[in-house]
Amino acid sequence: MAGCQSSENNSSSATTDSDKKLLGMQNRDALTESSNFKAIYGNPQLRAAFFLFLQNVFHLYPEDSFHKLIEDITLVGKTDQDIYRKVQSKLPTIKPFLSEATYALPALWKQKEELSRETLQLLGTSSKINGYLEVGSTGRYLSKLRTMTEISGDIVTVNVAAPTYSPVDIAERGQLNKLGRYVSLNNYEPVSDVADNSIDVVANYIGFHHSPPEKRDTFMQSLYRTIRPGGRLILRDHDVSSASMNRMVALAHDVFNLGVGADWPTNQSEIRNFTSIPEIVTALEKTGFKYKGTALLQAGDPTHNALMEFVKV
């Protein structure tokens, strides 16, 4: 969730009927605010829903303390920039000793276990994978997935940065040795250095919403090129179909970034081209994929981050 366009520029001010039902008539005007923090934390229902994100998805700090810190600073902050920086500056006051071991690593292991289990639910537990490409990490999910099924052939990680032997990277991939071979994400230019029809499974757990809009379709086409006929694309992306969900997902990105230490300019520059599931299905089917029709949602995740399966036909 790091690096992209101003979060204020990615949240629609239009409120749908479903938004009004969710927000309550007395609170729906909060969505017209320019602040993601105020739109969510200024509404009791959305604030309670966001607390689930801190509990079940982004569990890097004690959730009660983190939630209270965000709420208190949002009440007095004037802009998202102001709130973001003040919350970030106060994180040392709620961070427990050795929190990396007691919060960060268990949260990482939980997400690996959850997404690997869901992936095999879509693929079938007896699947053997000949050729695997993971977008957006140095093998975060590959390390767990290959303990649950047989993976052979060309193994590729397509990521912003090459893998290293840093403690963070070792924890990410779950082992000292690097996994597979690295190909640069290269700001979503078409994937190169991967042979046509050589991959059984492409796993994109970070979604397509960080791609520059003008590059998204050609990036999709390049992934399609690498997959064998009958091979699968496993995609996890947010189902953003309303103004309230746009705000929820945008704030999740804001809080993720501030929590991992990204500065405000980095957060502000992050591209967030959020779409609904029907919109992303349309784009991928235009490329040549066929949607299998199942969207798996993680329990307790209010951002509707759905895991989906597409087949190359």
Side-chain angles (χ1 to χ4, degrees):
M1 290 182 177
C4 293
Q5 229 167 46
S6 171
S7 54
E8 288 91 338
N9 293 335
N10 289 283
S11 298
S12 170
S13 61
T15 305
T16 65
D17 289 341
S18 61
D19 291 326
K20 293 175 184 177
K21 183 177 180 181
L22 174 62
L23 294 171
M25 295 297 291
Q26 75 278 18
N27 292 309
R28 69 180 184 271
D29 289 344
L31 285 179
T32 65
E33 294 279 354
S34 62
S35 164
N36 291 327
F37 284 96
K38 290 186 178 295
I40 299 300
Y41 273 81
N43 175 275
Q45 291 93 340
L46 295 179
R47 183 170 66 245
F50 193 78
F51 185 43
L52 296 174
F53 174 76
L54 301 182
Q55 291 176 299
N56 298 301
V57 183
F58 188 67
H59 196 224
L60 298 192
Y61 302 93
E63 60 269 22
D64 292 314
S65 301
F66 197 17
H67 188 57
K68 184 67 163 53
L69 177 64
I70 297 171
E71 183 177 5
D72 289 347
I73 292 177
T74 297
L75 282 173
V76 298
K78 292 182 171 59
T79 66
D80 270 0
Q81 177 178 337
D82 180 39
I83 296 164
Y84 185 102
R85 286 176 166 165
K86 285 181 178 176
V87 171
Q88 194 171 58
S89 73
K90 295 291 185 180
L91 287 179
T93 67
I94 66 166
K95 184 178 181 180
F97 180 64
L98 296 178
S99 64
E100 290 78 10
T102 55
Y103 284 89
L105 285 177
L108 174 62
W109 294 332
K110 177 184 175 182
Q111 286 301 102
K112 284 185 175 186
E113 181 72 33
E114 174 71 19
L115 290 188
S116 297
R117 180 189 61 78
E118 290 182 8
T119 297
L120 288 182
Q121 183 177 336
L122 295 175
L123 295 177
T125 54
S126 62
S127 296
K128 293 183 179 180
I129 299 172
N130 181 13
Y132 175 89
L133 186 153
E134 186 167 304
V135 178
S137 86
T138 54
R140 169 187 280 201
Y141 300 103
L142 166 61
S143 60
K144 180 62 180 178
L145 190 61
R146 70 179 190 166
T147 69
M148 303 167 76
T149 190
E150 183 180 324
I151 300 178
S152 61
D154 195 13
I155 297 175
V156 185
T157 60
V158 178
N159 193 43
V160 173
T164 70
Y165 292 104
S166 71
V168 171
D169 274 12
I170 292 170
E172 278 280 305
R173 60 182 177 257
Q175 63 179 56
L176 178 63
N177 294 332
K178 298 176 183 178
L179 291 165
R181 62 186 184 89
Y182 166 73
V183 172
S184 174
L185 184 59
N186 194 23
N187 195 31
Y188 291 90
E189 292 293 335
V191 173
S192 59
D193 301 324
V194 181
D196 293 358
N197 305 312
S198 63
I199 301 294
D200 271 354
V201 174
V202 167
N204 180 4
Y205 296 111
I206 64 167
F208 290 110
H209 56 269
H210 291 310
S211 170
E214 69 278 7
K215 294 183 177 183
R216 189 195 66 179
D217 289 353
T218 54
F219 183 72
M220 289 177 175
Q221 290 160 13
S222 71
L223 295 178
Y224 181 86
R225 174 190 62 77
T226 70
I227 300 175
R228 292 189 180 91
R232 269 79 69 85
L233 166 67
I234 300 297
L235 172 66
R236 195 179 196 220
D237 220 329
H238 302 282
D239 184 18
V240 178
S241 57
S242 68
S244 60
M245 186 53 63
N246 197 313
R247 288 293 194 185
M248 181 70 69
V249 176
L251 185 63
H253 283 67
D254 292 335
V255 168
F256 178 93
N257 288 344
L258 76 84
V260 298
D263 61 19
W264 173 253
T266 298
N267 181 69
Q268 189 181 34
S269 68
E270 188 169 81
I271 294 171
R272 298 176 183 177
N273 186 28
F274 301 138
T275 58
S276 66
I277 287 179
E279 288 173 306
I280 203 71
V281 167
T282 296
L284 284 166
E285 291 196 333
K286 188 181 297 184
T287 300
F289 290 103
K290 178 65 176 177
Y291 179 43
K292 296 293 286 183
T294 299
L296 302 180
L297 297 173
Q298 182 175 341
D301 181 4
T303 69
H304 292 187
N305 212 1
L307 194 72
M308 298 165 280
E309 177 188 7
F310 297 82
V311 177
K312 179 174 179 175
V313 294

